[in-house]
């Protein structure tokens, strides 16, 4: 396996080249990945004085018959950057090595062992159909506020109750601007009705008043719609 050290817009001293050969332990790398072909180490330097703490950058590229693995790091000097990049490279090599080992190793479960090892996994009958579990048969019911929700639907309810002193429309507009919202719920001091003032376009505002309909009876109803209307 060859190690190629090169500089990008900077000179690489011979001392650093020897340090690279000592730092990148070939035996350890080949133990983690026996298909390694070559290692490329590129050194570059950032001349901006504001980035002096990471002026030197080292990038290590490992070429093998498998996927290319790359690790890079920056530090105040190339030796420290090399140490950081080498640590990242070894960690990625070890992760890939463990992944390959787990795929081939004895840790793989047979189809018959999956149901006993993995909780909540589906079980198959002799003809290959899924056997429903008790959890699937029973639909959970969750109470959120004053509502009952069956199953795990996307419904999310956030319930709040506020004590509000009646105020004029001008006061409601002022309060809405203070909190920075596009609408404000209040009790109108003149009509004693729950009302909403909202921002429309530019500096235009709108207001919605709610009053109960005595003819609605028990039929559900509301004042739904877009506030921007």
């Amino acid at each position: 396996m060859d190690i190629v050290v090169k500089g990008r817009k900077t000179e690489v001293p011979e001392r650093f080249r020897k340090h690279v050969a000592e730092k990148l332990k070939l035996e350890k790398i080949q133990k983690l990945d026996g298909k390694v072909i070559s290692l490329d180490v590129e050194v570059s330097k950032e001349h901006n004085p504001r980035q002096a703490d990471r002026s030197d950058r080292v990038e290590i590229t490992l070429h093998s018959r498998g996927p290319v693995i790359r690790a890079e790091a920056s530090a105040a000097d190339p030796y420290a950057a090399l140490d950081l990049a080498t640590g990242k490279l070894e960690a990625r090599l070890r992760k890939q090595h463990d992944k390959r080992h787990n795929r081939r190793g004895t840790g793989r479960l047979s189809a018959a062992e999956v149901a006993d090892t993995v909780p909540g996994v589906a079980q198959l009958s002799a003809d290959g159909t899924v056997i429903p579990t008790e959890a699937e048969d029973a639909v959970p019911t969750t109470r959120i506020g004053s509502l009952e929700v069956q199953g795990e639907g996307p419904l999310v309810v956030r319930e709040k109750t506020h004590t509000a002193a009646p105020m004029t429309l001008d006061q409601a507009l002022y309060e809405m601007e203070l909190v920075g919202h596009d609408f404000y719920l209040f009790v109108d001091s003149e009509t004693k009705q729950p009302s909403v003032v909202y921002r429309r376009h530019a500096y235009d505002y709108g207001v919605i008043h709610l009053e109960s309909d005595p003819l609605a009876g028990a039929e559900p109803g509301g004042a739904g719609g877009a506030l921007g209307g």
Side-chain angles (χ1 to χ4, degrees):
M1 180 178 63
D2 298 327
I3 299 180
V4 179
V5 183
K6 56 185 177 181
R8 186 173 63 181
K9 298 181 180 180
T10 186
E11 293 291 332
V12 180
E14 187 63 28
R15 177 169 170 258
F16 183 78
R17 295 178 185 272
K18 292 181 179 179
H19 183 72
V20 169
E22 296 173 356
K23 186 68 179 178
L24 295 174
K25 298 179 175 58
L26 301 184
E27 293 182 0
K28 185 176 183 179
I29 292 176
Q30 288 177 329
K31 185 177 180 180
L32 294 173
D33 189 345
K35 300 180 180 180
V36 178
I37 300 173
S38 64
L39 275 170
D40 292 340
V41 179
E42 184 179 86
V43 184
S44 59
K45 191 171 186 65
E46 173 61 54
H47 297 283
N48 188 345
R50 295 182 179 179
Q51 300 182 3
D53 58 335
R54 48 191 177 93
S55 59
D56 289 278
R57 180 172 172 270
V58 173
E59 179 179 310
I60 306 174
T61 305
L62 183 147
H63 300 276
S64 70
R65 288 189 289 273
V68 175
I69 299 177
R70 182 175 288 107
E72 59 184 60
S74 299
D77 63 80
Y79 295 92
L82 177 65
D83 291 346
L84 293 173
T86 301
K88 292 181 181 180
L89 179 70
E90 291 180 355
R92 290 170 187 174
L93 280 173
R94 194 174 296 107
K95 182 178 180 180
Q96 185 174 344
H97 174 269
D98 294 342
K99 188 176 181 181
R100 288 196 305 265
H101 179 74
N102 290 337
R103 285 178 178 174
R104 298 194 303 261
T106 57
R108 297 183 62 179
L109 300 176
S110 65
E113 297 173 323
V114 172
D116 297 331
T117 307
V118 182
V121 72
Q123 297 185 3
L124 302 180
S125 62
D127 58 357
T129 59
V130 177
I131 302 174
T133 61
E134 295 181 1
E136 292 174 341
D137 294 337
V139 179
T141 301
T142 306
R143 188 171 186 85
I144 306 176
S146 58
L147 301 178
E148 286 188 355
V149 182
Q150 288 189 340
E152 297 180 356
L155 180 62
V156 177
V157 176
R158 185 178 182 183
E159 188 176 30
K160 284 187 175 182
T161 302
H162 294 277
T163 302
M167 64 178 64
T168 64
L169 178 60
D170 289 342
Q171 288 176 312
L173 288 171
Y174 177 72
E175 293 291 339
M176 183 181 71
E177 294 296 340
L178 281 182
V179 297
H181 291 173
D182 292 328
F183 67 94
Y184 190 80
L185 177 64
F186 70 104
V187 177
D188 194 305
S189 59
E190 294 182 3
T191 64
K192 308 304 183 203
Q193 296 173 336
S195 307
V196 175
V197 64
Y198 62 93
R199 193 189 314 276
R200 297 184 72 243
H201 307 289
Y203 293 99
D204 293 339
Y205 300 95
V207 61
I208 297 175
H209 300 287
L210 288 181
E211 62 180 8
S212 60
D213 186 355
L215 301 179
E219 293 295 326
L227 286 179

